[in-house]
């Protein structure tokens, strides 16, 4: 079965830090990868699709890179509202799969 | 404004059934793939199922195949998830979501909670 492995599962950071989260697919998925943010008690929101395309309205401090099996989400300068959990998602055919999540904490 | 509003969740005993609904507005419903994603308490996101715009193609995660059925009524702008033979491990918040050009989800409902317990 298709697996999406995110690392780290959690990290501690401070406002202003540069943060990078990694997502690895168990097979080549091209650029069919999205990133979501979920704040505590809230609905997930789309940040990036097609591995690197920023969803309209998402701040430019968020960026995505990668193709094939290895992908990264980078927050260039962490802001207070960015403390949340981040998920990657493969959409290269069913079953669609999410990574296990990365919790970004103070 | 795009809106997705789920309903139909609740408490059900193992082996029971529920039908979730998702009423949408603000876009041409029949033109878009729609999906269901669930999240068990304190856990991550799990894709459950999706359906193309016409309703002619459906997909499911293995753990729900044969028990859940996704459908849509494009005349009513409503998405459904019929769930049967429910298990304790199906307990989760169920979100309906609108897909973009491909199956990334750029609009989500607020979710409806399904609790399977005796």
């Amino acid at each position: 079965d298709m697996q999406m492995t995110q690392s780290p599962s959690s990290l501690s950071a401070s406002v202003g830090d540069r943060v990078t989260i990694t997502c690895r697919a168990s097979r080549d998925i091209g650029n069919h990868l999205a990133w979501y943010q979920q704040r505590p008690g809230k609905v997930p929101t789309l940040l990036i699709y097609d591995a690197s395309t920023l969803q309209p309205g998402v701040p430019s401090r968020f960026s995505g890179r990668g193709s094939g099996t290895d992908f990264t989400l980078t927050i260039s300068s962490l802001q207070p509202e960015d403390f949340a959990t981040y998920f990657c998602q493969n959409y290269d055919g069913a079953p669609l799969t999410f990574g296990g999540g990365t919790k970004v904490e103070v | 404004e795009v809106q997705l509003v789920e309903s139909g969740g609740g408490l059900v005993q193992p082996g029971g059934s529920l039908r979730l609904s998702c009423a949408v507005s603000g876009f041409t419903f029949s033109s878009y793939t729609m999906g269901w994603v669930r999240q068990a308490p304190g856990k991550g996101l799990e894709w459950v199922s999706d359906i193309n715009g016409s309703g002619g193609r459906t997909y499911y995660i293995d753990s729900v195949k044969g028990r859940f059925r996704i459908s849509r009524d494009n005349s009513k702008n409503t998405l459904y998830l019929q769930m049967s033979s429910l298990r304790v491990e199906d307990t989760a918040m169920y979100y309906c979501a609108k897909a973009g050009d491909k199956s990334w989800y750029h609009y989500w409902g607020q979710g409806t909670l399904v609790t399977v317990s005796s």
Side-chain angles (χ1 to χ4, degrees), chain B residues 34-104:
Chain B
M34 297 291 296
W36 289 97
V37 176
R38 67 185 179 184
Q39 187 169 33
K43 302 297 184 182
L45 301 173
E46 181 176 53
W47 173 82
V48 174
S49 178
D50 71 16
I51 185 169
N52 72 338
S54 68
R57 287 200 310 271
T58 59
Y59 302 95
Y60 300 91
I61 193 172
D62 283 350
S63 60
V64 309
K65 283 180 182 175
R67 300 189 299 121
F68 290 12
R69 190 172 76 89
I70 192 171
S71 62
R72 62 194 298 159
D73 186 334
N74 286 344
S75 69
K76 295 183 178 179
N77 285 355
T78 303
L79 175 73
Y80 302 101
L81 186 69
Q82 178 70 48
M83 304 186 296
S84 59
S85 302
L86 281 161
R87 305 168 181 169
V88 170
E89 56 265 33
D90 295 318
T91 294
M93 183 71 78
Y94 283 74
Y95 298 101
C96 76
K98 173 186 178 292
D101 292 344
K102 301 168 195 165
S103 288
W104 66 77

Side-chain angles (χ1 to χ4, degrees), chain A residues 78-92:
Chain A
L78 202 64
Q79 298 302 299
E81 60 268 31
D82 301 336
F83 291 96
T85 301
Y86 295 84
F87 297 93
C88 61
Q89 179 218 350
N90 144 59
Y91 50 90
D92 187 50

Side-chain angles (χ1 to χ4, degrees), chain A residues 1-3 5 11-12 21 26 38 42-43 54 60 67 75 78 80 84 91 101 104:
Chain A
D1 279 354
M2 178 66 179
Q3 302 288 336
T5 304
L11 65 91
S12 296
I21 298 167
S26 58
Q38 187 177 33
K42 301 297 186 182
V43 176
L54 208 61
S60 60
S67 67
I75 310 171
L78 202 64
Y91 50 90
V104 177

Side-chain angles (χ1 to χ4, degrees), chain A residues 2 4 13 15 21-22 32 34 36-37 43 47 50 52-53 59 67 72-73 77 80 86 102 106:
Chain A
M2 178 66 179
M4 302 297 294
V15 172
I21 298 167
T22 297
H32 295 152
Y36 300 85
Q37 177 193 66
V43 176
L47 298 173
D50 287 349
S52 61
T53 302
S67 67
T72 58
L73 171 71
S77 178
Y86 295 84
T102 297
V106 177

